[in-house]
Structures are given as structure tokens and as C-alpha cells.
């Protein structure tokens, strides 16, 4: 059973700089394409328009408006804009795009699909995907995104959020939603007929494996980290090819310097047995850029 996957055209606007393997964890470093010594944000904005529809709207809603792309696009933009007012996190959409296009992990649900109160926006994972492994087993991938100026801080906050999610606690130590809640949410959502009967049955087998199942299912995590990169004004005067090389080398060095920190956080929070897929992307003037992209894709 194959659920809808985004095509990999989303990745055309990026350079995949490096991939690090830390035991069960994979850290993929991406950079936006550089045009005239600037990150090409226009290409990113364009590449988010189509994924925004699949991210924001359920399969049922998309089927209802099949053949009416203008209405479908408007519905998706309205829903995403409403979501941003409650949550304000572009990183969740980017995480969705990377998991679908790069990891080939189809979405089971995103928080925008929920037809409940907006309070659910702040609960649980930033989205749920699944991946079929080469050995025939599966992973349920719970998403977490952080876009913060400081790379180390963003990584620390992401792993802390995963720890709290897994252990159903919050910063004050009180009970909060976690893995059981999220799996129950998926199951409840399936009954609202977002999926076909065949898709429901398939997903239920992944969420709650049966005795006769011929595969194993493990909980995994997907993380998107957006951080702010500082570029010296003098570097803007470099020839284009030299600028690309220097900035890409700077990005790779900044992430390489944090690999020990990532491993430390995994150890600190005892996340050893989980596969964790980390996607890292730098931005210039993060807050300003994030706001502009959000405005462009929802107008």
C-alpha cells in the first residue's frame, strides 16, 4: 500500500552538503541554492506551494476538490495561515517536505488535519510519518521542528522536546501528551475517514502490530533544525564560485562542530534505541526571512 508521496522536485532548490551517521542517527545537512551570493529564497517559496496543499489538507478534502486547484490552494493557504496564528512554525512544513521527498516517508497525519479545537496544535508531535525499511520492517516517525537563531540551542531544545514527548512530561514535570496519546490520536483520526478503508487497515497494522504480523515496528523521530548563519559583509564581494565554496564549507564546519553535542543529548535523554533523522538548514536573518516566506506562501 503506497500513500501519496511528494515528488522530489522540492529538493531541486537545495544542495545536499553532507550526511553524518551517528550510530542509529542520520544528520543531513542542506543549503539553499545560492544565486548571486545570496540564498535563493524565491525558489524555496515556490517549491513550498504544492506541498502546502498535501500538508494542510486531508486526503478526503483533496479528493472532494479534485479538478478545482484554485479552491484547493485557497483552502490550504487559509488553513495554514490559521495554524501559523496559533503556532507560528514554518519548520513543521519544511520537516514534512524533507521526510516525504528525501526520506520517502509518507505522512500519516499532520496537526492541520485535525478537526478538533486549536488546543491540539500544541500537543504531541509536529506530524507523523512512516517508513518501510529494506528488511521489510517499519518505523513510525514522530516529527519535531525548531527554528532558532542559535544552532546549539535549537538542537538542545529539539532533543529535550523529544525526551518530554516520549516520557509524557513537560518542563514542570507534569503529565503531557506523548507516544500513547499520539498513536490514539492517529487511530481516532483514521475513523474520520481521512483515508480509504484499505489505507486505514494498512496504517492500523503499522500502529498496532498484530500477532500474525510478519514485520516489526519501531518508534523513530524526525527533526528539522533551522538556524541563523552569519555571513560577513566582505564575503559578499567574493566571486560567485568562491562565495559558494566558502559558505558551504562554513555550514559543514558548523554542523560538524555540533556532532558531539548531538551525541551527548541522545545519551543524556536515553534515546539510544530510536533512529533519529535530523535535517539542518541555515537561514540568513532567520526571523525576518521566516516571516517573509510565511507571508509569501499564504497570500
Amino acid at each position: 500500500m503506497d500513500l501519496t508521496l511528494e515528488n522530489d522536485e522540492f529538493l531541486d532548490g537545495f544542495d545536499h552538503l553532507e550526511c553524518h551517521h551517528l550510530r542509529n542517527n542520520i544528520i543531513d545537512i542542506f543549503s539553499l541554492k545560492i544565486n548571486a551570493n545570496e540564498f535563493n529564497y524565491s525558489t524555496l517559496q515556490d517549491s513550498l506551494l504544492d506541498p502546502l496543499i498535501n500538508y494542510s489538507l486531508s486526503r478526503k478534502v483533496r479528493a472532494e476538490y479534485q479538478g478545482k486547484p484554485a479552491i484547493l490552494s485557497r483552502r490550504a493557504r487559509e488553513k495554514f495561515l490559521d495554524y501559523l496564528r496559533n503556532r507560528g512554525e514554518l519548520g513543521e512544513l519544511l520537516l514534512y517536505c524533507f521526510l516525504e521527498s528525501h526520506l520517502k516517508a509518507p505522512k500519516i497525519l499532520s496537526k492541520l488535519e485535525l478537526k478538533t479545537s486549536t488546543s491540539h496544535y500544541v500537543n504531541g508531535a509536529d506530524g507523523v510519518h512512516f517508513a518501510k525499511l529494506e528488511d521489510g520492517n517499519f518505523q513510525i516517525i514522530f516529527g519535531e521542528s525548531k527554528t532558532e537563531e542559535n544552532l546549539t540551542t535549537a538542537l538542545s531544545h529539539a532533543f529535550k522536546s523529544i525526551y518530554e514527548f516520549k516520557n509524557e512530561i513537560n518542563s514542570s514535570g507534569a503529565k503531557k501528551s506523548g507516544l500513547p496519546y499520539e498513536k490514539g490520536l492517529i487511530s481516532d483520526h483514521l475513523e474520520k475517514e481521512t483515508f480509504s478503508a484499505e489505507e486505514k487497515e494498512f496504517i492500523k497494522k503499522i500502529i498496532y502490530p498484530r500477532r500474525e504480523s510478519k514485520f516489526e515496528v519501531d518508534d523513530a523521530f524526525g527533526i528539522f533544525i533551522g538556524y541563523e548563519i552569519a555571513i560577513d559583509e566582505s564575503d559578499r564581494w567574493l566571486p560567485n564560485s568562491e562565495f559558494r565554496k566558502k559558505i558551504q564549507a562554513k555550514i559543514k564546519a558548523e554542523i560538524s562542530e555540533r556532532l558531539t553535542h548531538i551525541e551527548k543529548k541522545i545519551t543524556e535523554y536515553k534515546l539510544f534505541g530510536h533512529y533519529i533523522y535530523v535535517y539542518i538548514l541555515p537561514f540568513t536573518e532567520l526571523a525576518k526571512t521566516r516571516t517573509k516566506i510565511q507571508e509569501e506562501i499564504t497570500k
Side-chain angles (χ1 to χ4, degrees):
M1 181 77 233
D2 292 323
L3 300 182
T4 303
L5 271 172
E6 296 293 341
N7 61 47
D8 57 9
E9 290 180 3
F10 167 76
L11 298 174
D12 291 344
F14 301 88
D15 287 313
H16 189 193
L17 302 186
E18 220 164 34
C19 178
H20 294 280
H21 292 259
L22 288 177
R23 303 179 190 272
N24 293 338
N25 312 287
I26 301 175
I27 295 90
D28 282 290
I29 307 167
F30 282 85
S31 169
L32 282 163
K33 291 286 188 181
I34 294 173
N35 184 349
N37 293 5
E38 292 181 343
F39 287 137
N40 195 334
Y41 293 115
S42 295
T43 298
L44 174 60
Q45 289 162 191
D46 291 342
S47 69
L48 288 173
L49 293 175
D50 286 335
L52 178 64
I53 295 173
N54 286 0
Y55 175 73
S56 301
L57 302 177
S58 69
R59 292 164 179 84
K60 182 181 179 182
V61 171
R62 298 203 303 269
E64 289 175 357
Y65 290 95
Q66 190 172 10
K68 299 179 180 179
I71 297 177
L72 197 62
S73 176
R74 186 186 55 169
R75 285 286 304 274
R77 284 182 280 116
E78 288 173 349
K79 195 160 189 177
F80 188 68
L81 185 58
D82 182 58
Y83 184 59
L84 288 174
R85 291 191 187 105
N86 286 281
R87 180 74 182 240
E89 184 53 87
L90 177 68
E92 295 174 19
L93 175 58
L94 288 165
L95 174 62
Y96 161 79
C97 291
F98 278 115
L99 289 177
E100 289 244 343
S101 61
H102 184 260
L103 193 59
K104 304 298 182 186
K107 176 190 73 170
I108 296 177
L109 68 82
S110 66
K111 288 305 166 68
L112 275 76
E113 289 190 57
L114 300 179
K115 299 181 179 65
T116 53
S117 70
T118 55
S119 64
H120 277 121
Y121 287 156
V122 298
N123 288 331
D126 291 341
V128 186
H129 294 242
F130 77 88
K132 185 175 182 179
L133 308 180
E134 291 182 0
D135 61 7
N137 293 321
F138 288 86
Q139 292 174 342
I140 300 179
I141 303 172
F142 299 92
E144 179 64 42
S145 65
K146 297 293 181 187
T147 53
E148 303 183 35
E149 289 186 12
N150 185 276
L151 175 57
T152 302
T153 302
L155 287 165
S156 296
H157 288 167
F159 282 100
K160 182 180 180 183
S161 292
I162 287 176
Y163 165 76
E164 291 176 347
F165 172 72
K166 176 183 176 180
N167 293 282
E168 302 180 87
I169 58 174
N170 61 26
S171 299
S172 64
K175 189 88 168 175
K176 69 174 288 188
S177 60
L179 288 170
Y181 167 87
E182 203 74 14
K183 290 180 180 179
L185 193 63
I186 296 169
S187 182
D188 292 345
H189 194 57
L190 294 179
E191 295 307 318
K192 294 177 181 177
E193 300 182 347
T194 297
F195 300 95
S196 69
E198 185 183 5
E199 289 170 340
K200 285 182 189 177
E201 186 63 22
F202 172 68
I203 294 172
K204 282 182 178 179
K205 288 179 180 177
I206 297 175
I207 300 170
Y208 301 114
R210 300 167 183 170
R211 284 184 300 172
E212 66 271 18
S213 295
K214 297 181 180 179
F215 55 80
E216 300 291 340
V217 181
D218 291 292
D219 296 327
F221 296 99
I223 297 175
F224 172 80
I225 298 292
Y227 75 98
E228 183 166 304
I229 185 173
I231 299 177
D232 293 336
E233 195 67 28
S234 59
D235 288 338
R236 302 284 189 181
W237 293 90
L238 290 170
N240 297 149
S241 59
E242 290 184 27
F243 180 85
R244 285 189 183 90
K245 289 179 182 177
K246 184 168 185 177
I247 297 306
Q248 290 180 356
K250 176 181 174 70
I251 295 168
K252 289 191 284 188
E254 288 180 342
I255 279 74
S256 294
E257 290 170 1
R258 270 73 174 189
L259 294 178
T260 301
H261 181 73
I262 292 173
E263 193 164 10
K264 177 183 175 182
K265 289 299 171 182
I266 292 170
T267 302
E268 177 183 348
Y269 294 128
K270 295 180 171 57
L271 299 170
F272 314 105
H274 298 281
Y275 277 69
I276 303 176
Y277 304 94
V278 184
Y279 291 94
I280 304 180
L281 180 69
F283 294 83
T284 51
E285 299 179 291
L286 177 61
K288 179 181 176 181
T289 300
R290 179 175 52 198
T291 299
K292 187 176 189 304
I293 293 171
Q294 290 173 176
E295 290 174 347
E296 289 296 322
I297 65 176
T298 54
K299 70 180 181 181

